[in-house]
Amino acid sequence: MKMENSAVLCEISPVFRPYIQNLYHDLELGLCKAKVDLERIGSHCDGAETQFRLVLPYCSRKLKWEVIFDASTPWFAPDFRFDDDSFLNNSDEEFLIKKVPSLANWNGNDPNALCNVINELIKLYKAHQIKKLNEDDESRASFEYSALLGNGFTSEQDIEVYVLGHTAEFLIKLKVDTSRLPELYNEGTENNPGIDTALMLVRYPNSTNAELILSPFLTKCLGNITLPLMHQSGVLMDYVPMVTDLLNNKIQDLLNNDKLKRGLLAQLIVKYEGAILEHDANSAALLFEMNNFYWILQIDIGINFPEKPPILTLRSVYHSSKGKPKSKVLTACPYNNFEAYIEQQVEIFKNECKYVGPVIQASNMEN
């Protein structure tokens, strides 16, 4: 838990604290499944033990909803103040019982009670925003939303809508297949928190400035991606599948390149089996002897292989410079002529080292 959230939680009365702890740990909101944050209400401490503000991710926004408990009746459901005055401003009891049953039937003994209420309120807020969008059914944004759902490529669960005045924005989850990337990058949950998502943010009336929002892991894998231009006359039902295909093709290219990389390492390991010191999916270290002079060849293959060739480093076993083994990083490595290039560079390195040691080749590159 963030330090700021912990500080707010510590001020809350122990009677209400379990609701908030479960809310923070269990509730994941939005298309990117982000955690909620907590804020104090005001700068003073009055009422700090019974009230706080929830910061909820929605679309590109941060909704700020105030939650207010009553210390004199702790078994009662809390009151809410929303940062959108149009939300639930004319709702009757029957409507709330139907749409927010966890609030109407508040169970003070359930530590998930507040979490359940927030989940239902967020669904209701999304429906509220869609209703605002459709109030002007002749608007470009309303047409785009209906057409995008109508083509069957995107579902209502994969879009968040936010309307403010004459502007509307859509946050769209793209159907990107990331299932094989973890085996490629072998990232643990500590290094890759949350889920791997690709989102696109589109605003109307200026829809040409679409933004791509990638999870940290996908950003690491794919790097910076420039979206194709969305023309003013273009429609989302065509643009969303095009961007989705772009991302899936890039992921497939990574997987194909990884297959080439593993194949190259496998060939080297088989050919020079007796010289291998260590290896993994991205590198190998080989020990060679030339006229009683031992040296190590380190091969590092990056994620952009074969566009970027492997990095080769030659190291002397005996000599050091500034406390590190004497080494030389080779300036190039054409992967289509990999082994011949290694042999050529080894000869050059041998000549550079001839004043430090003489030479017999126990593990010959021709073996």
Side-chain angles (χ1 to χ4, degrees), residues 26-142:
D26 297 340
L27 187 63
E28 295 178 337
L29 291 176
L31 296 177
C32 57
K33 302 300 181 185
K35 294 287 189 181
V36 303
D37 281 321
L38 307 175
E39 288 183 352
R40 294 181 180 86
I41 297 178
S43 58
H44 55 82
C45 294
D46 293 343
E49 71 280 0
T50 60
Q51 55 186 302
F52 56 92
R53 183 180 293 113
L54 289 177
V55 182
L56 310 167
Y58 178 82
C59 216
S60 70
R61 311 284 169 154
K62 296 289 187 182
L63 306 180
K64 295 192 175 185
W65 294 355
E66 295 180 3
V67 182
I68 306 158
F69 286 96
D70 187 343
S72 63
T73 53
W75 54 89
F76 277 16
D79 290 327
F80 292 88
R81 282 200 292 259
F82 305 107
D83 55 357
D84 182 345
D85 293 337
S86 66
F87 180 49
L88 298 181
N89 59 344
N90 290 316
S91 300
D92 57 29
E93 184 177 350
E94 184 179 347
F95 177 84
L96 291 176
I97 291 173
K98 181 179 179 182
K99 297 296 184 180
V100 198
S102 296
L103 182 63
N105 303 298
W106 176 264
N107 180 4
N109 295 319
D110 182 3
N112 284 314
L114 183 59
C115 187
N116 296 335
V117 171
I118 296 300
N119 258 325
E120 292 167 0
L121 286 174
I122 282 290
K123 291 177 183 177
L124 200 55
Y125 186 78
K126 181 177 179 178
H128 169 70
Q129 290 295 332
I130 295 172
K131 182 180 178 182
K132 288 173 66 175
L133 175 70
N134 292 329
E135 284 174 357
D136 182 2
D137 58 4
E138 295 183 357
S139 70
R140 172 70 182 272
S142 178

Side-chain angles (χ1 to χ4, degrees), residues 192-208:
N192 182 33
I195 59 173
D196 302 322
T197 52
L199 308 175
M200 187 169 67
L201 180 66
V202 184
R203 295 184 175 92
Y204 288 93
N206 186 17
S207 61
T208 57

Side-chain angles (χ1 to χ4, degrees), residues 293-308:
F293 174 68
Y294 287 87
W295 53 275
I296 295 171
L297 173 64
Q298 176 72 36
I299 305 169
D300 294 296
I301 308 179
I303 62 173
N304 294 318
F305 175 82
E307 285 78 12
K308 290 188 177 180

Side-chain angles (χ1 to χ4, degrees), residues 15-35:
V15 177
F16 307 119
R17 206 173 291 166
Y19 303 135
I20 306 162
Q21 289 173 324
N22 281 40
L23 179 78
Y24 182 83
H25 290 296
D26 297 340
L27 187 63
E28 295 178 337
L29 291 176
L31 296 177
C32 57
K33 302 300 181 185
K35 294 287 189 181

